[in-house]
Structures are given as structure tokens and as C-alpha cells.
Amino acid sequence: MKIIIGIGGVTNGGKTTLTNRLLKTLPNCCVVHQDDFFKKPDQIEVGEDGFRQWDVITALDMEAMISTVKGWQENPVKFARSHGISLSPEAEESDSEDKGVHILIVEGFLIYNYKPFIDVYDKCFYISIPYEECKRRRSTRTYTVPDPPGLFDGHVWPMYLKHRKEMEDNCDRIEYLDGMTSKEDIYNKVYESVQNCLLNQL
């Protein structure tokens, strides 16, 4: 059995923290991080707002991301091994994915804004936090390409609002999570929801 879980959300909402915890507790679980598919800085256009357009879908190589997910779908055992993921003894003994449960987490800030991806997910989660908290968290983070002054208000937040509306129009199966609640609460809610999904598919 194979299931794909989407963990989307606003920048600095807690997506990676949640994903890392689920990776440790869900069986035969792999992850694809959308952030790994950013194009090189010189390929990122400068928009009318005067900023490099990092927070839009064209900043990402979505075709490469889809082919990575397809690689997992075709052979989750091989995918896990090539990514250094330890499998359960049951899955390890078998080269076919018929044995046991295989889970893929797709994590990122625009994972519900690319039409070819929408039908891939068995479960869709989205973490949101309010403007002030998001701005505060973002200011404490260090990025490979540092944020220029004014980027959050001039580009990051306006793009988040635009894409959130687009996402809500695209996908009606999203379970929303309040990023202001404790990490423990968010994790428990998602873990329970995933377990129910697995039971329903047995």
C-alpha cells in the first residue's frame, strides 16, 4: 500500500519540523522537499515589485519535482534505499512494494498550486500562521540567499495571500492546521489523521 501526504503551508509555518517528526514515526517513510527544486538565483526573474520572484511557482523546477515523486510511485523500496531510508524488515525482504505500507511526504509552500500535483495526494495538510508571527519567524531565519530589506511585505506576504486563494480554488480536500498551536498538537492531529487513512485503505 502506498500513500502520499502533502504538507503545505506559509513560509516559516512549521512544515519541516512536522515533516521531520513524521519521518521518524511513520513506517517506510520518505520525503520530497519542494525547497530542493528552486532554480539557480540567476534564473529567478525580477518582478514589477522590484524583487527577485522566489515565492512563485516559476522559481521552482516543478517537472523535476514531479519526476522525483513518480520515481517513488514506481518503486518506493528502491527510492527509499537510494535516499538512505531504513525500511521495515518486511519491506526490506521484498523488492516489490506489495509488502507493507510505503509513505511519501511532499513538503513545501506551493505544493497545492501546481495542477498536475493536485490528484497525487491521499492526504492534504496546510499550516498557517498570522502575518505578525510569520514576519517575526522569518526575520530570525538565515537563508542561503538573504532576504533584501522590504522583501517580506513587498513580495513574500502578498504572494502568500495570492497563492492561498488560488490553492483554495484548486483543492477542496485540505485539512488546515493552526501553526500557533503547539508542535505536539499539530503532530498528533496529523499522525492520527494519517493512521485513519491507512486503516481505511486496508
Side-chain angles (χ1 to χ4, degrees):
M1 177 175 33
K2 294 183 279 194
I3 75 162
I4 299 182
I5 301 163
I7 295 180
V10 65
T11 176
N12 296 276
K15 300 180 295 295
T16 309
T17 304
L18 172 61
T19 298
N20 289 340
R21 180 122 187 236
L22 290 168
L23 275 173
K24 292 186 179 118
T25 53
L26 292 172
N28 306 320
C29 189
C30 296
V31 65
V32 171
H33 295 285
Q34 191 171 38
D35 282 3
D36 293 343
F37 296 89
F38 272 113
K39 294 174 182 171
K40 293 188 173 74
D42 61 2
Q43 294 178 285
I44 308 294
E45 296 167 19
V46 175
E48 288 174 16
D49 57 16
F51 296 108
R52 282 200 188 272
Q53 303 294 291
W54 287 103
D55 287 63
V56 297
I57 205 87
T58 51
L60 298 145
D61 187 345
M62 292 305 292
E63 285 182 16
M65 188 172 174
I66 279 207
S67 69
T68 303
V69 170
K70 280 185 179 155
W72 178 87
Q73 285 175 308
E74 283 161 18
N75 193 330
V77 173
K78 192 173 165 187
F79 186 97
R81 285 181 185 146
S82 69
H83 287 78
I85 305 290
S86 14
L87 296 163
S88 67
E90 180 186 39
E92 198 61 74
E93 285 163 19
S94 149
D95 273 328
S96 117
E97 63 271 9
D98 302 337
K99 291 268 182 84
V101 173
H102 292 274
I103 298 171
L104 180 69
I105 296 173
V106 177
E107 178 265 329
F109 72 115
L110 287 178
I111 61 170
Y112 306 123
N113 293 78
Y114 190 64
K115 289 254 167 72
F117 252 154
I118 301 291
D119 297 328
V120 158
Y121 307 110
D122 297 288
K123 294 294 282 179
C124 303
F125 298 100
Y126 191 88
I127 307 174
S128 52
I129 53 174
Y131 165 84
E132 290 296 344
E133 176 65 10
C134 189
K135 189 172 184 177
R136 186 192 70 74
R137 290 186 192 182
R138 177 97 181 193
S139 68
T140 64
R141 287 277 288 274
T142 308
Y143 291 98
T144 317
V145 179
D147 282 359
L151 181 77
F152 186 85
D153 287 316
H155 176 65
V156 175
W157 193 256
M159 285 297 127
Y160 159 67
L161 295 175
K162 174 179 179 270
H163 289 124
R164 174 147 182 169
K165 178 163 186 341
E166 192 181 277
M167 169 193 85
E168 286 165 353
D169 294 342
N170 278 347
C171 187
D172 57 4
R173 299 179 293 124
I174 295 170
E175 292 176 49
Y176 291 92
L177 304 164
D178 179 358
M180 297 299 280
T181 55
S182 74
K183 289 173 185 163
E184 191 68 23
D185 282 354
I186 294 170
Y187 165 76
N188 288 336
K189 199 170 177 182
V190 172
Y191 185 80
E192 192 177 318
S193 182
V194 171
Q195 290 299 334
N196 287 337
C197 177
L198 292 171
L199 289 170
N200 290 339
Q201 291 201 18
L202 286 175

